[in-house]
Amino acid sequence: MTVLDILQSTTSYFAKRGIESPRLNAEHLIAHGLGLKRLDVYLAFERQLDEAELAPLRELVRRRGQKEPLQHLLGTVEFCGHTFLCDERALVPRPETEELVELVIAECSLRQSKRILDLGTGSGVIALSLALKFPEVAIDAIDISVDALALAQENASRLDAARVRFLESDLLARVDGNYDVIVANLPYVARADREQLAAEVLRDPEVALFGGERGDELIQRLIDAAPNYLVAGGLLALEIGLDQSDSLVKLLERKNFHDIAAKKDYAGVTRFLLARYG
């Protein structure tokens, strides 16, 4: 079989299995399996593949057809222009979270920040992206999951950003001192919405997905506690779930936050809250 034969048959198989963007998924897996760049697959259409090359490709296709996340099969994910290790130990980073990082970068560029805290760091993509953008800023990254922190530390070593300090903590329980910025992409899915999630998403750790019965319980806990850990005028930047902004904005107002801004993602969904304290 040629590379083109495999691409066509894999695309058809993925389409039948309900895989989103079947052609793109097929291209990524074939490139990964053959050690090529994705666009180089097009230059290899006539290449004949022997059984030694076909066997691992079939296994990758089988696993993707069973809704194993593409990023897990590739072992990496692109985020904010950098390549991060990605596996079942932490949430697969979403494109919306890149937008959160962009918002924080814009705010930090306007006001000089000395200390940033990333809560719910997962694989470390937020903390490490900010560390690479602002090498002079001290950055701490918190997660309740030891497995996620291990992955984040591997990413820090890979990206030569070992100065980021990682700490196991339930929200702010083990945090000391005050920060200019607290950024958090905490779990915000309601447990009742479990059945609405894609099969790939359910491969993520539950601790990284579900924020409680309503979904916003962890975010509310953070808003309650954050004033004790922010400098005057410090920024709290949050990624939130659907239909959570109104109640969270009211809580921010009660907690003496000001300049509160609800921001939409590129899909038009209110996904981010930015607020300054004191």
Side-chain angles (χ1 to χ4, degrees):
M1 297 183 73
T2 66
V3 170
L4 180 57
D5 292 332
I6 293 296
L7 177 59
Q8 291 174 335
S9 62
T10 300
T11 300
S12 177
Y13 173 71
F14 284 166
K16 292 176 182 176
R17 298 287 297 177
I19 301 296
E20 187 176 351
S21 304
R23 172 88 176 201
L24 184 61
N25 273 253
E27 291 172 356
H28 276 297
L29 286 183
I30 292 169
H32 178 70
L34 298 179
L36 301 173
K37 294 181 179 179
R38 184 174 67 84
L39 294 181
D40 288 341
V41 170
Y42 286 87
L43 302 177
F45 273 175
E46 302 306 316
R47 173 178 162 184
Q48 292 285 337
L49 301 179
D50 58 28
E51 185 58 30
E53 294 172 307
L54 287 170
L57 275 177
R58 291 193 189 103
E59 177 62 12
L60 287 172
V61 170
R62 181 192 67 80
R63 291 168 63 185
R64 184 68 186 103
Q66 293 181 341
K67 304 300 178 69
E68 190 166 342
L70 176 65
Q71 296 87 347
H72 289 181
L73 297 173
L74 301 179
T76 59
V77 64
E78 297 298 316
F79 187 92
C80 288
H82 305 286
T83 302
F84 292 86
L85 299 175
C86 181
D87 59 34
E88 68 281 353
R89 288 176 288 177
L91 189 81
V92 173
R94 309 292 194 256
E96 309 91 83
T97 306
E98 292 184 283
E99 298 176 53
L100 175 63
V101 173
E102 292 168 3
L103 290 170
V104 172
I105 287 173
E107 292 288 333
C108 289
S109 298
L110 290 173
R111 300 193 191 189
Q112 186 175 11
S113 299
K114 297 179 180 178
R115 297 188 75 200
I116 296 176
L117 177 65
D118 172 27
L119 271 177
T121 194
S123 58
V125 293
I126 293 177
L128 295 171
S129 296
L130 293 173
L132 294 169
K133 180 67 177 180
F134 300 112
E136 73 285 359
V137 176
I139 298 179
D140 294 337
I142 305 297
D143 206 286
I144 197 171
S145 167
V146 175
D147 289 338
L149 288 171
L151 177 59
Q153 288 170 325
E154 290 170 25
N155 275 318
S157 297
R158 176 187 177 95
L159 294 168
D160 195 23
R163 65 185 179 80
V164 175
R165 186 179 70 155
F166 295 97
L167 177 68
E168 178 191 356
S169 178
D170 179 6
L171 292 183
L172 296 161
R174 297 182 60 197
V175 174
D176 293 320
N178 292 340
Y179 293 86
D180 300 282
V181 178
I182 296 177
V183 55
N185 178 22
L186 295 171
Y188 53 67
V189 179
R191 293 196 180 278
D193 294 336
R194 180 187 182 90
E195 299 304 317
Q196 300 178 28
L197 299 178
E200 289 90 344
V201 174
L202 290 172
R203 296 291 190 109
D204 283 330
E206 290 204 1
V207 69
L209 285 174
F210 299 108
E213 294 305 313
R214 296 187 312 276
D216 63 355
E217 286 90 336
L218 287 174
I219 300 175
Q220 291 201 28
R221 281 179 55 198
L222 172 57
I223 293 172
D224 281 334
N228 295 321
Y229 298 88
L230 282 168
V231 301
L235 174 70
L236 180 62
L238 304 169
E239 182 171 330
I240 63 173
L242 295 174
D243 301 321
Q244 294 177 353
S245 62
D246 289 348
S247 60
L248 293 176
V249 165
K250 291 177 182 177
L251 179 58
L252 286 165
E253 291 171 341
R254 292 199 299 272
K255 291 296 177 179
N256 199 30
F257 283 87
H258 59 88
D259 294 337
I260 301 169
K263 303 280 189 176
K264 293 182 178 180
D265 62 21
Y266 292 138
V269 176
T270 301
R271 182 69 65 188
F272 316 107
L273 291 178
L274 303 181
R276 293 195 175 272
Y277 175 70

